[in-house]
């Protein structure tokens, strides 16, 4: 019986491998279709009068906004009772909703949080027709330290709020490194205080051009990038399109989605040892449980990829609905087992202020609908991930893999695309929002990666 099982597995592996190799060849270093650096996303009548100035920006919690928000929270319709013992398994536990709406309305310190959100310098500048909002923190570098530019990119349902704890760590000189970061953290177009496109087509690949142009506007022809979630998709595109400009790419959501990587994953489902180290195999296998998790948690993905404006109406009108929608994702994205807890495990990782700060970034800017559109734009035929993931990059790369991240891939798969993958850090905890969950580990790993990137360039005599 043991021999029969071994033979069966071997045959399956061989068949899958041969079929995969024939049908889905590995990525090739063929450049993708170029992006237009002048593509216009704003109102056409403003094209001739574009303002290139970099203007200071302040987040403003107006008294009218606060009054309206409190009224909506206090008068929201009572939800249907939750099922006994269901916790977060059916979605946000409706039994916890009243606590959160009361907190947001009656206990969240609006003026104090407004001051906190303005504690980092913020600006806007017009790039390709859109006003792009960004945080920019320049360090006070002691003698002997080199200041290096770092672009960090968030995703959905996050915002630049994810980086507030990590930025002071990244911009503070350390005896462990010879450099310190100048951090630029923009809001993605349509998110928070960055203007949304006036027409269809602005997906993550097109956003990569906007951010390259932003960095050029700030005086940086060459720079490092970091990204998670959609920020990882955008940063990965930058590492392919602009290999002469990107000095290194660090990601806490590093993955490859193409036919070759899929075949390798399927082979590992039969013989995991051929794909992943034994102590990390549970992060990928059994494949059925991981696919079940993705199916269970991806309903929002399909909805936003097909009808973002419909769900946007509900979430933009009801702060209680926005709260339930986003905090449920904060729960499951942090740790899968949180769904079994009555409060979704939110208090185990975050403060109430942190979570509501992020909600405020969506609410006061009325950007829920426009942020959701990134899913629909991405799934246009010219934007699907597998198109770009057939192309390799020589940009030095580093991965940070939290234990509870929604996707895990081993180095053997990642190297198919990232030819100069210099290292991978595997954490024994942490989830999808690792910059907010574990800012110290996040900042430390970014610095470790950039140290490796600088060593890599020196070895090639590249400044």
């Amino acid at each position: 019986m043991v021999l029969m099982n071994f033979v069966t597995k071997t045959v399956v592996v061989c068949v899958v491998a041969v079929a995969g190799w024939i049908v889905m060849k590995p990525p090739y270093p063929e450049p993708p279709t170029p992006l237009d650096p002048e593509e216009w996303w704003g109102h056409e009548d403003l094209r001739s009068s574009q303002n290139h100035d970099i203007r200071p920006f302040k987040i403003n919690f107006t008294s009218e906004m606060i009054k309206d928000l409190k009224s909506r929270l206090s008068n929201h319709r009572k939800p249907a009772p939750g099922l006994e013992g269901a916790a977060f398994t059916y979605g946000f536990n409706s039994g916890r909703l009243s606590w959160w709406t009361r907190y947001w309305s009656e206990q969240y310190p609006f003026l104090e949080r407004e001051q906190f959100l303005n504690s980092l310098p913020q600006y806007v500048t017009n790039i390709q027709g859109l006003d792009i909002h960004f945080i920019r923190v320049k360090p006070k570098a002691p003698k002997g330290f080199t200041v290096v530019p770092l672009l960090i990119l968030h995703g959905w349902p996050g915002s630049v709020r994810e980086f507030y704890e990590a930025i002071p760590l990244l911009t503070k000189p350390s005896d462990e490194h010879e450099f310190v970061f100048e951090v630029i953290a923009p809001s993605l177009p349509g998110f928070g205080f960055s203007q949304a496109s006036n027409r269809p087509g602005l997906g993550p690949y097109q956003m990569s051009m906007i951010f390259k142009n932003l960095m050029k506007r700030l005086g940086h022809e060459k720079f490092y990038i970091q990204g998670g979630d959609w920020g990882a998709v955008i940063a990965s595109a930058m590492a392919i399109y602009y290999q002469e400009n990107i000095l290194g790419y660090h990601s806490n959501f590093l993955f490859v989605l193409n036919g070759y990587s899929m075949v390798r994953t399927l082979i590992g489902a039969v013989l995991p040892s051929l794909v992943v180290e034994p102590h990390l195999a549970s992060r990928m296998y059994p494949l059925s449980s991981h696919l079940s998790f993705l199916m269970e948690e991806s309903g929002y993905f399909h909805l936003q990829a097909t009808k973002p404006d419909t769900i946007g109406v509900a979430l933009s009108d009801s702060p209680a609905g926005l709260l339930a929608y986003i905090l449920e994702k904060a729960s499951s994205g942090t740790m899968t087992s949180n769904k079994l807890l009555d409060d979704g495990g939110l208090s185990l990782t975050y403060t109430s202020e942190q979570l509501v700060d992020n909600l405020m970034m969506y609410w006061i800017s009325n950007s829920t609908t426009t942020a959701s559109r990134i899913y629909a734009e991405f799934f246009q035929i010219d934007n699907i991930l597998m198109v770009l993931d057939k192309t390799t990059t020589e940009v030095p790369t580093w991965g940070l893999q939290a234990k509870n991240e929604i996707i895990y891939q081993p180095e053997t798969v990642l190297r198919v695309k990232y030819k100069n993958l210099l290292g991978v850090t595997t954490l024994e905890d942490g989830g999808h929002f690792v910059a907010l969950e574990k800012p110290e580990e996040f900042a430390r790993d970014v610095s470790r990666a950039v140290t490796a990137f600088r060593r890599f360039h020196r070895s090639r005599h590249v400044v």
Side-chain angles (χ1 to χ4, degrees):
M1 180 64 70
V2 173
L3 179 60
M4 183 177 297
N5 288 338
F6 175 77
V7 171
T8 301
K9 288 183 177 181
T10 302
V11 171
V12 170
V13 168
C14 291
V15 170
V16 170
V18 171
W21 187 262
I22 293 172
V23 178
M24 305 175 187
K25 294 181 180 179
Y28 42 86
E30 180 176 317
T33 303
L35 297 172
D36 179 1
E38 303 297 330
E39 191 165 12
W40 191 258
W41 299 105
H43 290 279
E44 191 61 35
D45 56 0
L46 298 178
R47 186 189 287 263
S48 60
S49 58
Q50 184 183 14
N51 183 348
H52 292 149
D53 292 345
I54 298 170
R55 311 183 301 277
F57 179 86
K58 289 280 188 182
I59 294 172
N60 186 15
F61 289 4
T62 66
S63 57
E64 292 81 7
M65 179 277 294
I66 295 174
K67 181 180 179 181
D68 175 70
L69 174 59
K70 287 185 173 184
S71 175
R72 291 169 185 262
L73 288 167
S74 300
N75 295 290
H76 73 85
R77 190 177 189 182
K78 187 176 180 180
L83 296 174
E84 212 173 284
F88 269 56
T89 57
Y90 278 65
F92 190 90
N93 183 353
S94 60
R96 296 290 298 174
L97 185 64
S98 60
W99 185 93
W100 277 102
T101 54
R102 279 199 306 270
Y103 169 79
W104 195 357
S105 175
E106 301 172 13
Q107 298 176 45
Y108 179 74
F110 285 92
L111 297 183
E112 178 185 312
R113 301 316 293 174
E114 179 189 42
Q115 292 175 357
F116 172 79
L117 293 174
N118 284 317
S119 64
L120 297 178
Q122 297 170 66
Y123 307 87
V124 293
T125 190
N126 196 276
I127 305 289
Q128 295 173 242
L130 302 180
D131 277 349
I132 300 299
H133 163 261
F134 61 97
I135 293 169
R136 185 185 194 184
V137 181
K138 295 182 177 181
K140 295 180 180 179
K143 185 178 180 180
F145 280 80
T146 301
V147 177
V148 300
L150 174 68
L151 175 72
I152 55 177
L153 301 171
H154 68 84
W156 186 95
S159 65
V160 291
R161 176 60 186 89
E162 294 179 60
F163 304 126
Y164 270 68
E165 284 77 10
I167 288 175
L169 303 174
L170 292 166
T171 54
K172 180 181 179 180
S174 167
D175 294 337
E176 298 178 13
H177 307 286
E178 62 184 9
F179 58 86
V180 63
F181 293 106
E182 173 190 339
V183 175
I184 296 94
S187 297
L188 305 189
F191 286 70
F193 308 104
S194 281
Q195 195 174 356
S197 172
N198 194 46
R199 61 180 180 81
L202 180 55
Y205 299 164
Q206 291 73 23
M207 290 181 188
S208 74
M209 174 59 77
I210 287 177
F211 292 130
K212 176 183 177 291
N213 286 340
L214 171 64
M215 294 301 282
K216 184 177 181 180
R217 173 80 52 84
L218 299 180
H220 300 305
E221 289 287 345
K222 294 180 181 289
F223 51 93
Y224 300 94
I225 54 175
Q226 198 289 326
D229 195 81
W230 282 115
V233 179
I234 297 166
S236 180
M238 296 179 78
I240 289 175
Y241 279 112
Y242 319 120
Q243 299 192 36
E244 296 301 315
N245 303 93
I246 307 303
L247 296 170
Y249 168 38
H250 177 280
S251 178
N252 54 289
F253 195 51
L254 199 62
F255 66 96
V256 180
L257 183 59
N258 55 37
Y260 190 69
S261 68
M262 290 178 179
V263 168
R264 289 188 63 87
T265 300
L266 290 173
I267 290 172
V270 182
L271 289 176
S273 61
L274 294 179
V275 176
V276 62
E277 296 178 59
H279 70 285
L280 296 172
S282 63
R283 299 190 182 197
M284 290 183 74
Y285 304 110
L287 195 58
S288 57
S289 65
H290 289 275
L291 292 177
S292 294
F293 167 74
L294 290 176
M295 287 290 291
E296 181 180 346
E297 298 298 333
S298 62
Y300 78 97
F301 198 109
H302 185 263
L303 182 59
Q304 291 171 207
T306 53
K307 298 294 185 289
D309 286 26
T310 302
I311 186 64
V313 172
L315 301 181
S316 297
D317 190 62
S318 169
L322 179 68
L323 184 156
Y325 197 71
I326 287 184
L327 294 197
E328 185 261 312
K329 287 299 145 201
S331 169
S332 60
T334 302
M335 185 179 293
T336 315
S337 59
N338 278 347
K339 66 183 179 181
L340 303 176
L341 303 176
D342 282 345
D343 69 346
L346 294 170
S347 62
L348 299 177
T349 306
Y350 310 102
T351 67
S352 302
E353 288 87 356
Q354 288 176 321
L355 294 172
V356 175
D357 284 349
N358 185 60
L359 294 176
M360 290 294 287
M361 301 298 253
Y362 285 88
W363 182 259
I364 63 177
S365 61
N366 194 21
S367 61
T368 306
T369 300
T370 55
S372 297
R373 287 177 186 158
I374 192 172
Y375 290 83
E377 300 296 1
F378 181 69
F379 278 92
Q380 300 301 315
I381 189 64
D382 293 333
N383 263 335
I384 56 174
L385 187 61
M386 289 179 65
V387 172
L388 205 60
D389 268 11
K390 289 182 179 179
T391 307
T392 61
T393 177
E394 299 293 328
V395 169
T397 305
W398 190 284
L400 174 61
Q401 298 174 322
K403 183 176 182 179
N404 302 306
E405 183 55 271
I406 58 178
I407 294 176
Y408 171 81
Q409 289 181 330
E411 292 185 43
T412 54
V413 172
L414 297 175
R415 290 186 191 280
V416 168
K417 175 178 178 180
Y418 302 103
K419 295 302 183 182
N420 288 309
L421 182 65
L422 302 188
V424 171
T425 302
T426 53
L427 297 180
E428 290 305 314
D429 51 11
H432 190 61
F433 309 100
V434 70
L436 182 60
E437 297 172 51
K438 298 189 169 295
E440 294 85 3
E441 289 89 336
F442 173 82
R444 189 182 306 121
D445 201 65
V446 172
S447 296
R448 182 185 299 123
V450 171
T451 297
F453 299 156
R454 288 166 64 82
R455 189 182 303 122
F456 173 87
H457 289 303
R458 288 193 190 109
S459 71
R460 299 192 172 196
H461 306 290
V462 177
V463 178

